[in-house]
Amino acid sequence: MTTAKEKQVIQSEFQKRMDEDELLNCMRCGFCLPSCPTYVESGFKESHSPRGRIALMKGVVDGLIEPDEDVERTLDLCLGCRACEPVCPSGVKYGHLLEEARDIINQHKKHSLPVRVLRKTVFNGLFPHQDRMRMMTGMLGIYQRSGVQKVVQNSGMMKLLPESMATMERVLPQVPSLKKMKDRPSYLPSIAEQKKKVAFFSGCLMDTMFLDTNNATMKLLQHAGCEIVIPKSQACCGALHGHSGEKDGAKELAKRNIAAFEEIGVDYIITNAGGCGAFLVDYDHLLKDDAEWYPRAVAFKEKIKDMSAILVELEFHKKMKLHVRPQKVTYQDSCHLKNVQGTFLQPRMLLQAVDGAAFIEMKDADRCCGSAGIYNIVESEMSMKILDHKMEKVEESQATTIVTANPGCLLQMKLGIEREGLSGLMRAVHIADFLLEAVEETDKL
């Protein structure tokens, strides 16, 4: 329960920190409404739309609305998918407003002791430290490989968890050994004739739980003619912090990453996770009030490029022979890759170049799948409604392979396949893993 004093402080901070010009840019035209999953799934509730949430923020700034639990709840229920931004005729940066509002509320309300401990553990003790991320992921690997996972699943203990979490436990990727996670390269030469020198943003979960996908990405870059530098001092992108009201932590991680990449003299910084890439290109906004770091953030941002974009730029899909066994393939857009980075044609171009892959464009491919970082854990009910809608479109496409470009989307689609009982008929795969399959299948011919 937010106290009266906390509400006063939050309202004062809204007045100081919220960008009123950006709030006033919203013309209340409603173009954002059909693009907003929570607006649609809530039965067209205005407060669960981008327009409605901006009106609430403006009401708090103007002193017309108290920043109470209802305001916090409607902000928390937002996926942060930013599908409203490309369709907004005024160009409102809704994502920036949402993150600022969440940060103000989080920093000026008193959480319960268990929540404070959990947040401190996750945001301060775990994600900023890649060695700890490896240890945590390594423990999951032991759980999977030791046979304990099978015992737990067969015992029925998972029934004590919410259905979505129990299903998620079954679809997690097989985690590599701790030795493999520690034995990471810092440099890889080009396999083909060198065309670009790039840096690779490894990420935190991507370089532990999704280590094979990172390896596949770097192998593709080598085939495309890229010399690759992988800075050891890089850190988590900070997206989880930024989206969860931990802006100071996000800023510290941003500074670590900018410093890690700015002196190595590369053409591009390559990412393979839509959510990470979108947060990286927003570093200039995150550090806009820091005179020292803002220009460095701008220079950093200009070099960020998604793996699919550089592969197309270097004509990988035209110069490499790509082949897979016959299958129907569709593509699920990563919200942040499309809506923030503007990358949506390139993944499709790559998939359409693969022999044996009959590409089918899925209806509403760019609508959020409901993953949204940890949203599918903390807002499971709404997430599953959104996922159910997505799986309807997947089944209509009759695809046997769903390709994604973000780890959260990948797990969510695997979750959807498992929930629908389609695990023997359909699979979900990251685009890097799919393209490497195509390279390796071709080599066998």
Side-chain angles (χ1 to χ4, degrees):
M1 181 72 69
T2 309
T3 65
K5 184 176 180 180
E6 286 170 344
K7 289 176 185 177
Q8 289 178 346
V9 173
I10 290 170
Q11 191 153 43
S12 175
E13 289 298 307
F14 261 70
Q15 292 166 348
K16 291 177 185 175
R17 290 174 50 183
M18 294 300 294
D19 187 336
E20 195 158 6
D21 289 338
E22 198 68 62
L23 291 171
L24 289 170
N25 277 343
C26 177
M27 303 184 299
R28 315 290 191 262
C29 65
F31 276 94
C32 60
L33 300 182
S35 71
C36 178
T38 56
Y39 174 72
V40 174
E41 295 299 338
S42 68
F44 309 107
K45 189 174 180 180
E46 178 70 17
S47 62
H48 292 342
S49 72
R51 179 177 70 179
R53 291 181 174 109
I54 289 173
L56 288 176
M57 296 178 208
K58 183 69 167 62
V60 173
V61 169
D62 292 342
L64 302 175
I65 297 174
E66 277 195 342
D68 56 16
E69 284 76 14
D70 289 339
V71 171
E72 183 179 1
R73 178 67 190 138
T74 194
L75 295 179
D76 284 345
L77 199 61
C78 179
L79 291 147
C81 69
R82 296 172 72 168
C84 49
E85 293 186 16
V87 299
C88 177
S90 300
V92 175
K93 297 296 184 184
Y94 171 80
H96 295 167
L97 293 171
L98 177 68
E99 287 182 6
E100 192 73 13
R102 282 177 170 172
D103 187 63
I104 293 169
I105 292 171
N106 178 66
Q107 297 303 322
H108 295 92
K109 68 168 285 187
K110 187 174 182 180
H111 294 292
S112 66
L113 179 60
V115 171
R116 291 202 304 274
V117 170
L118 179 62
R119 291 182 71 95
K120 186 174 181 62
T121 300
V122 171
F123 295 119
N124 297 348
L126 183 58
F127 276 85
H129 307 282
Q130 191 63 4
D131 56 340
R132 297 177 191 175
M133 290 291 294
R134 292 191 192 102
M135 289 297 297
M136 182 199 72
T137 311
M139 291 172 65
L140 174 60
I142 293 171
Y143 167 75
Q144 291 174 331
R145 292 188 297 272
S146 65
V148 174
Q149 183 178 36
K150 289 294 182 185
V151 173
V152 170
Q153 290 174 345
N154 294 336
S155 71
M157 290 173 59
M158 299 307 296
K159 292 180 181 178
L160 299 174
L161 297 175
E163 180 192 353
S164 60
M165 289 188 67
T167 307
M168 184 67 79
E169 187 267 351
R170 293 198 298 273
V171 302
L172 287 173
Q174 288 298 307
V175 173
S177 68
L178 188 58
K179 183 178 184 300
K180 285 185 178 179
M181 286 188 281
K182 287 182 176 179
D183 186 21
R184 305 301 291 140
S186 58
Y187 172 82
L188 291 169
S190 172
I191 292 175
E193 178 187 352
Q194 184 178 330
K195 298 175 182 176
K196 297 289 182 182
K197 181 180 179 182
V198 303
F200 181 62
F201 183 80
S202 304
C204 48
L205 281 177
M206 287 303 300
D207 216 42
T208 50
M209 189 176 294
F210 297 93
L211 185 77
D212 289 342
T213 300
N214 266 6
N215 289 340
T217 303
M218 290 189 285
K219 184 68 72 175
L220 294 172
L221 293 172
Q222 287 178 286
H223 278 296
C226 293
E227 176 188 12
I228 310 170
V229 181
I230 309 102
K232 292 285 189 182
S233 57
Q234 62 179 295
C236 168
C237 68
L240 182 62
H241 294 71
H243 300 328
S244 304
E246 296 283 344
K247 206 168 185 179
D248 286 344
K251 288 179 179 179
E252 288 307 308
L253 290 168
K255 291 174 183 179
R256 282 173 60 183
N257 282 322
I258 292 168
F261 284 90
E262 65 186 350
E263 297 296 335
I264 55 178
V266 294
D267 299 302
Y268 299 122
I269 300 168
I270 305 301
T271 68
N272 63 355
C276 294
F279 202 73
L280 295 175
V281 299
D282 261 352
Y283 276 2
D284 58 335
H285 174 76
L286 183 67
L287 298 170
K288 67 182 188 302
D289 297 323
D290 191 313
E292 177 190 352
W293 286 93
Y294 173 72
R296 297 166 72 176
V298 171
F300 176 87
K301 169 183 180 173
E302 290 173 351
K303 291 191 175 183
I304 300 296
K305 190 179 284 285
D306 181 68
M307 57 155 288
S308 63
I310 190 170
L311 291 180
V312 169
E313 179 181 322
L314 298 179
E315 298 188 325
F316 169 87
H317 58 309
K318 295 180 180 179
K319 295 177 179 178
M320 289 290 294
K321 291 182 179 180
L322 303 169
H323 174 83
V324 293
R325 54 184 172 74
Q327 56 195 282
K328 295 179 180 178
V329 177
T330 195
Y331 178 70
Q332 160 64 23
D333 282 286
S334 157
C335 294
H336 289 100
L337 183 59
K338 177 182 182 293
N339 300 328
V340 182
Q341 292 178 265
T343 301
F344 55 95
L345 291 177
Q346 294 94 325
R348 291 167 169 82
M349 293 169 68
L350 293 167
L351 295 176
Q352 288 168 350
V354 178
D355 290 337
F359 182 77
I360 303 162
E361 183 66 37
M362 174 172 50
K363 185 177 180 183
D364 295 338
D366 59 350
R367 180 172 167 175
C368 186
C369 65
S371 171
I374 58 172
Y375 187 94
N376 54 4
I377 298 173
V378 298
E379 298 290 349
S380 178
E381 183 180 354
M382 179 61 76
S383 175
M384 292 305 104
K385 287 181 180 179
I386 293 168
L387 178 58
D388 288 342
H389 175 91
K390 177 62 65 176
M391 291 310 298
E392 287 177 14
K393 303 308 175 188
V394 168
E395 293 185 62
E396 286 174 10
S397 75
Q398 299 185 330
T400 54
T401 300
I402 312 167
V403 178
T404 75
N406 189 60
C409 300
L410 177 61
L411 289 180
Q412 186 80 339
M413 299 316 299
K414 287 187 173 185
L415 178 62
I417 290 169
E418 187 77 14
R419 276 165 53 89
E420 295 295 319
L422 299 170
S423 56
L425 304 171
M426 184 184 295
R427 65 171 181 153
V429 61
H430 191 283
I431 189 169
D433 297 308
F434 183 79
L435 290 174
L436 188 61
E437 269 182 40
V439 172
E440 293 177 345
E441 282 291 325
T442 302
D443 290 342
K444 295 176 184 177
L445 297 178

